[in-house]
Amino acid sequence: MAEIILTIVVEVVKCLAPPAYRRICYLRKSKYTSNLQNLKTEVDNLKSERVRTEHQVDEAKRKGEEIEENVENWLARANNVIEAADNFTKDEATANKRCFKGLCPDLKTRRRLSKEAERLKEAVVNVRDARRFDRISYCTAPADIRLISNKDYEPFESRMFTLRNILSALEDPDVDMLGIYGMGGIGKTMLAEEIARKVKSDKLFDLVVFVEVSQNQDIRKIQGEIADKLGLKFHEESESGRANSLFKRIKAEKKILIILDNIWENLNLRVVGIPHGDGHKGCKVLLTARSLDVLSGKMDSRSNFSIGVLNEEEAWNLFKKMAGDYIEGSEFQSVARDVAKECAGLPVSIVTIARALRNKRLFEWKDALEQLRRPYATNFKDIQPTACKAIELSYNKLAGEELKNIFLLIGYTAISSIDALLMCGMGLGLFQGVNKMEVARARVRTLVHKLKASCMLLDHISKSEEFFSMHDVVRDVAISIASTEKIALTATNEQVDGFRVWSDESAVKRYTSIVLQDIKTNVLPEVVECPQLKLLFICADKESSSLTIPNNFFKGMIQVRVINLTYMNLLSLPSSLGFLLNLRALSLCYCKLVDISVIGGLKKLEILCLRGSDIKQLPTEVGQLTWLTLLDLRECRKLEVIPPNVLSNLSHLEELYISCRSFQKWEVEVEGVKNASVEELKHLPNLTSLELDIHDVNTLPRGLFLEKLEKYRIRIGDWYWESTNIWRREFRLRLNNKICLKDWLIVQLQGIEDLELRELQEQDVNYFANELAKVGSSELKFLRIHGCSDALNPPAESKV
């Protein structure tokens, strides 16, 4: 009755006093109900927009992009207004309060809440309408790992004077180039990195770029590294075009420091695209080199600073840190101090020797001291003989021939990844008693860890456990040992040009490994007699090579077990390759390939790597390699044909890698040939490691075969999937509206460590929740769920 009377009164006021009506209309129940419903509708609309925006933000973050400030501000506004609206709707019951025993509504409360609902609705609409973004994110230059604080840096007092002088020179407006020089292993790179961190933290420069040049100059690589750290994307192919783009980008920085580490010869900065001097007063260049002649004579650097050896006390403190404090105040102290003195204050010697003798017995310390005191002949320029003696002694102290062989292999081949070391080691048969790839991979990781613990290897700059690096002085000694023992013959393009060793058959015959790096011209003979050769590495110059292999080149190396050819023009593989019946590992990374059918005769081949090659069709002859244990087809962007039954014939295959930038046409007919099916992979009984990307979810076989895989990275569906160097049991799936999770996928959640599901329907969410509840003790560590807006609210992304 009260509502009827109220309605009549409001209608009368509407007719007689319109201005008053606008104030009292909020008393009507219908008005309040309408305002409340409108608010809920607009809030739901805004929540949908928020979910869509958060999806875009998540995707941008996975690509390493920064989010625009106006996008973050809008999300904050949306969150605030949604929270306010949700809190308001919780008070809805207040509008229905009754007084006078329920006969009369609480008009004051109703009017207030009705007006508040209308106000909030307008605020929600305003926020939603404000979602006008030109873009969600933008690319930034990635953070340079070298500029992050380094726990291994030792602030030696003897170096602080030099550091302060260099910082002072960098502030001098008349100095545009300066250099640091000292013998190999003295600590030039460490000091340069500390300078970079210092000027960055003190804001002496707006930007600091650190690039390693190395002995074999590669202009395009140098340009690429600088561009990456500037967030610059090249669109030019020529070096000069890239130099122009780099020149303009650097000039856009008001104050920039470019550090070029490990200069060996003249580097034309203009050719690279680095402005300095009158070209750009705000750009300064810091160089490091082994000799003053390179800096002043070849680079015309006039402000140069020498780094000397450590003083006796600094050397002893570093030695104790590496060997262990137990040596002080014990029977070891006297001999340990003598050993430290023999290292002559050279950090690389101190570190390697101290690590090699850590926890050794007293007689081993005394033996090491005697070895260090013997004369050492070295042909290395700018490397102190003491350093060579120290590193060779550390090599001799390595436990077992297996570890020594791996150290030398890394040294003379310049291998820097676990994968590459695994392929070579298995191909050469270095791991005694190991027949399975996964067991061998664990052995490789163990050996690399031991070499790092001995300071013979270093962590890679990326900090990824899949990669490692070696100090250039240590590498020089490793190459020297391998050459002296007639293990390896190594050469670069300059050394190979006019190579007489090919004609000296007796010399070549003695080597078991030949490694040729950065070869630009055709210098290979028609035939080489290398009856003892076990390993052949040839890496052509990536940009300017016209290198080919003569047809009979392999005839005289019938015992070879590992061949690694990189960046070569091999339209048709030499027929003599078919004679290599003992070949175990063949790597043709980033080669131009057309016809590789000759490999069908390599019956003992266990490892085949075609990574990055431009091969278009995998020949049926690959199916004859029944002893193949590893097949790598990653980054084969032009690969369109894998004939049926080729993969399924590889009954011993343990590891298969086909990434997103490779083959995608499963079951598609190409030029009259129907491609292989993913179903074939279920017939590989020994498969334990798999990397696979499938764009078309419809080709996914029913009942996925995850339970027998020990390591995998499987991505299914047309999506930009986040990439990582960290190997986990990873499964990512993007469904479509015709396929549901329950019908097409039996996910073995007990094995998956990293799971991402996209475009889930409502029935998928319920099914997955039930399956997840069943496993309980799942190994799942990372979970990302993205659903449709009507099935799931903002994406669930969590570390389990």
Side-chain angles (χ1 to χ4, degrees):
M1 179 63 72
E3 292 291 349
I4 295 174
I5 294 171
L6 181 59
T7 300
I8 294 171
V9 171
V10 171
E11 288 298 324
V12 170
V13 172
K14 180 180 180 181
C15 295
L16 301 179
Y21 168 76
R22 286 191 293 272
R23 292 194 296 273
I24 71 169
C25 67
Y26 295 104
L27 300 176
R28 296 180 64 173
K29 184 176 181 179
S30 60
K31 177 70 170 177
Y32 169 75
T33 303
S34 174
N35 285 348
L36 189 65
Q37 186 57 48
N38 289 342
L39 173 62
K40 289 179 179 179
T41 300
E42 293 300 337
V43 167
D44 288 342
N45 292 338
L46 181 58
K47 285 181 178 179
S48 296
E49 288 296 309
R50 181 179 66 175
V51 169
R52 183 163 68 94
T53 305
E54 287 174 332
H55 284 178
Q56 293 172 320
V57 167
D58 289 342
E59 182 180 350
K61 286 181 177 179
R62 281 193 296 275
K63 294 178 182 178
E65 297 177 355
E66 291 289 331
I67 307 305
E68 292 284 358
E69 185 178 0
N70 62 333
V71 175
E72 292 183 331
N73 290 341
W74 183 87
L75 282 172
R77 287 180 61 196
N79 289 334
N80 289 338
V81 75
I82 288 173
E83 182 181 3
D86 287 344
N87 290 336
F88 170 79
T89 54
K90 293 177 183 178
D91 298 329
E92 180 184 357
T94 306
N96 295 321
K97 288 173 69 177
R98 303 283 181 169
C99 58
F100 299 110
K101 298 181 181 180
L103 298 177
C104 180
D106 185 343
L107 299 181
K108 182 178 179 181
T109 300
R110 177 184 291 181
R111 180 177 182 275
R112 178 177 61 80
L113 292 178
S114 184
K115 289 187 69 175
E116 180 66 10
E118 189 171 66
R119 186 192 68 77
L120 280 172
K121 184 207 75 171
E122 292 175 358
V124 169
V125 170
N126 288 338
V127 171
R128 193 191 68 202
D129 291 345
R131 192 196 179 282
R132 297 187 183 92
F133 309 134
D134 294 331
R135 60 183 185 180
I136 294 290
S137 59
Y138 60 94
C139 295
T140 59
D144 193 336
I145 295 176
R146 290 180 183 269
L147 303 185
I148 299 172
S149 179
N150 184 359
K151 62 180 177 62
D152 294 328
Y153 177 73
E154 294 286 341
F156 299 116
E157 185 59 36
S158 62
R159 305 284 170 93
M160 295 306 294
F161 179 74
T162 303
L163 186 145
R164 286 191 290 268
N165 285 342
I166 293 173
L167 292 176
S168 178
L170 286 171
E171 294 186 77
D172 188 339
D174 295 327
V175 175
D176 55 55
M177 180 185 289
L178 59 162
I180 302 171
Y181 66 97
M183 67 182 70
I186 200 74
K188 301 181 294 297
T189 299
M190 278 280 198
L191 181 60
E193 289 177 347
E194 181 61 18
I195 290 169
R197 290 188 287 269
K198 186 70 175 170
V199 299
K200 185 71 174 176
S201 63
D202 292 349
K203 299 183 179 178
L204 296 181
F205 292 88
D206 301 323
L207 199 60
V208 179
V209 175
F210 197 111
V211 177
E212 182 179 3
V213 176
S214 76
Q215 189 170 2
N216 301 316
Q217 278 188 15
D218 186 335
I219 298 297
R220 288 180 69 88
K221 181 181 177 183
I222 297 168
Q223 291 174 329
E225 286 197 31
I226 297 175
D228 285 345
K229 292 170 183 180
L230 293 174
L232 173 66
K233 300 293 184 183
F234 286 128
H235 300 290
E236 303 84 3
E237 285 299 321
S238 67
E239 280 184 7
S240 59
R242 290 155 65 100
N244 288 333
S245 292
L246 202 54
F247 192 92
K248 293 176 183 177
R249 175 63 183 85
I250 293 174
K251 289 201 71 172
E253 294 293 334
K254 188 176 180 181
K255 294 184 70 178
I256 180 172
L257 173 64
I258 297 177
I259 300 175
L260 300 173
D261 185 40
N262 201 12
I263 296 279
W264 285 74
E265 57 187 358
N266 178 54
L267 176 66
N268 191 322
L269 301 185
R270 288 278 175 172
V271 171
V272 176
I274 301 174
H276 78 294
D278 294 335
H280 183 14
K281 290 290 187 181
C283 177
K284 297 198 176 189
V285 178
L286 174 62
L287 311 170
T288 75
R290 290 189 179 183
S291 75
L292 177 61
D293 179 61
V294 171
L295 297 178
S296 60
K298 297 182 179 180
M299 293 301 298
D300 197 25
S301 173
R302 299 176 184 178
S303 298
N304 302 306
F305 302 85
S306 171
I307 299 184
V309 298
L310 303 179
N311 63 43
E312 187 173 332
E313 194 57 32
E314 290 172 337
W316 174 241
N317 288 334
L318 178 60
F319 192 91
K320 284 191 300 180
K321 181 179 178 180
M322 294 293 106
D325 288 336
Y326 75 93
I327 62 175
E328 191 164 38
S330 69
E331 60 179 343
F332 289 89
Q333 182 167 345
S334 177
V335 67
R337 276 196 174 272
D338 288 340
V339 170
K341 288 177 184 178
E342 289 298 322
C343 293
L346 195 64
V348 69
S349 302
I350 294 169
V351 170
T352 53
I353 285 292
R355 278 292 187 182
L357 293 174
R358 189 181 181 97
N359 297 322
K360 299 298 183 185
R361 289 165 292 186
L362 184 59
F363 68 82
E364 292 177 281
W365 279 82
K366 291 180 179 179
D367 178 61
L369 178 60
E370 288 304 314
Q371 291 187 53
L372 288 171
R373 283 174 171 169
R374 293 172 192 161
Y376 188 92
T378 175
N379 296 319
F380 293 123
K381 184 181 180 182
D382 305 320
I383 299 180
Q384 196 181 69
T386 301
C388 298
K389 284 195 292 183
I391 295 167
E392 185 167 346
L393 177 59
S394 297
Y395 163 75
N396 291 331
K397 292 291 182 182
L398 292 176
E401 291 302 310
E402 184 181 57
L403 192 58
K404 289 180 180 179
N405 289 335
I406 288 295
F407 167 74
L408 294 179
L409 179 65
I410 293 171
Y412 63 75
T413 60
I415 284 172
S416 61
S417 73
I418 295 292
D419 278 351
L421 188 55
L422 172 72
M423 292 183 196
C424 283
M426 285 295 282
L428 292 171
L430 296 183
F431 313 123
Q432 295 299 316
V434 175
N435 298 313
K436 294 292 184 181
M437 295 299 293
E438 195 59 30
V439 177
R441 193 178 295 276
R443 177 74 62 85
V444 167
R445 291 186 185 281
T446 300
L447 295 171
V448 167
H449 175 74
K450 288 181 177 180
L451 289 173
K452 286 183 178 181
S454 302
C455 294
M456 303 294 268
L457 285 183
L458 305 171
D459 288 334
H460 193 263
I461 187 175
S462 68
K463 303 303 180 185
S464 169
E465 293 185 0
E466 298 298 317
F467 300 91
F468 47 83
S469 62
M470 180 179 280
H471 194 287
D472 54 354
V473 175
V474 177
R475 187 180 306 283
D476 286 342
V477 175
I479 292 172
S480 174
I481 295 170
S483 177
T484 301
E485 297 182 2
K486 296 296 182 284
I487 294 173
L489 170 67
T490 64
T492 61
N493 185 72
E494 288 74 16
Q495 296 164 327
V496 170
D497 195 12
F499 214 17
R500 295 179 180 178
V501 72
W502 296 129
S503 59
D504 185 359
E505 292 185 1
S506 62
V508 177
K509 285 180 179 179
R510 293 196 295 268
Y511 292 101
T512 58
S513 298
I514 294 178
V515 178
L516 308 178
Q517 301 278 9
D518 301 315
I519 309 303
K520 298 179 181 179
T521 55
N522 283 308
V523 294
L524 302 179
E526 183 64 29
V527 181
V528 179
E529 291 297 329
C530 300
Q532 298 186 61
L533 194 68
K534 299 295 175 63
L535 178 145
L536 176 67
F537 258 55
I538 303 178
C539 180
D541 180 78
K542 181 165 55 174
E543 304 302 330
S544 58
S545 172
S546 57
L547 188 62
T548 58
I549 294 183
N551 200 43
N552 293 318
F553 180 72
F554 296 112
K555 271 189 175 181
M557 49 183 79
I558 58 174
Q559 294 299 321
V560 73
R561 295 174 63 98
V562 176
I563 291 180
N564 186 311
L565 307 176
T566 307
Y567 298 121
M568 296 189 68
N569 189 357
L570 303 172
L571 299 183
S572 180
L573 290 180
S575 60
S576 58
L577 188 69
F579 292 100
L580 306 181
L581 301 183
N582 289 302
L583 192 65
R584 299 300 197 276
L586 176 62
S587 176
L588 304 173
C589 291
Y590 306 102
C591 289
K592 294 180 180 179
L593 302 174
V594 176
D595 181 12
I596 63 170
S597 57
V598 68
I599 68 173
L602 305 175
K603 303 303 182 182
K604 293 183 180 180
L605 195 67
E606 298 173 2
I607 296 169
L608 177 60
C609 180
L610 303 176
R611 185 169 188 164
S613 70
D614 62 358
I615 188 170
K616 294 181 180 179
Q617 177 170 344
L618 199 67
T620 56
E621 286 80 359
V622 170
Q624 300 172 22
L625 305 176
T626 54
W627 286 101
L628 206 64
T629 57
L630 186 152
L631 177 60
D632 191 344
L633 300 175
R634 284 175 284 197
E635 299 179 54
C636 294
R637 300 171 188 269
K638 296 184 179 181
L639 184 59
E640 292 189 341
V641 177
I642 298 181
N645 303 319
V646 170
L647 296 178
S648 57
N649 279 345
L650 306 177
S651 57
H652 286 87
L653 197 66
E654 298 175 33
E655 300 191 2
L656 175 62
Y657 303 109
I658 307 177
S659 69
C660 58
R661 293 184 292 274
S662 187
F663 181 72
Q664 287 297 334
K665 298 186 177 182
W666 297 98
E667 301 182 33
V668 176
E669 187 172 307
V670 178
E671 297 180 359
V673 178
K674 186 176 181 181
N675 271 316
S677 165
V678 182
E679 192 82 26
E680 288 190 37
L681 305 187
K682 297 172 77 172
H683 303 291
L684 300 176
N686 294 296
L687 192 67
T688 58
S689 296
L690 176 65
E691 181 172 352
L692 184 65
D693 283 67
I694 304 174
H695 278 194
D696 186 1
V697 68
N698 294 289
T699 62
L700 183 66
R702 293 176 181 271
L704 207 58
F705 41 89
L706 302 186
E707 64 276 2
K708 66 179 181 179
L709 297 177
E710 297 176 15
K711 184 181 72 173
Y712 51 83
R713 181 181 289 153
I714 301 173
R715 306 180 181 109
I716 300 170
D718 188 7
W719 188 258
Y720 177 88
W721 299 108
E722 180 183 5
S723 183
T724 175
N725 282 327
I726 301 174
W727 265 103
R728 292 189 285 260
R729 290 191 291 275
E730 173 188 315
F731 185 82
R732 305 186 188 280
L733 172 66
R734 186 189 188 200
L735 295 166
N736 59 40
N737 56 14
K738 296 180 181 178
I739 298 175
C740 73
L741 193 64
K742 183 177 181 180
D743 293 338
W744 278 77
L745 179 65
I746 300 175
V747 179
Q748 299 294 324
L749 290 174
Q750 293 92 336
I752 295 177
E753 295 176 322
D754 188 342
L755 177 63
E756 180 171 353
L757 301 173
R758 286 186 170 272
E759 306 301 330
L760 298 186
Q761 305 300 317
E762 188 171 2
Q763 66 270 26
D764 293 324
V765 177
N766 295 331
Y767 170 72
F768 176 72
N770 292 332
E771 290 297 307
L772 194 60
K774 288 178 185 177
V775 297
S777 60
S778 168
E779 297 177 47
L780 197 62
K781 296 185 177 107
F782 298 90
L783 173 63
R784 301 173 185 84
I785 300 178
H786 305 256
C788 297
S789 59
D790 59 344
L792 198 65
N793 274 331
E797 184 165 352
S798 62
K799 185 174 180 179
V800 179

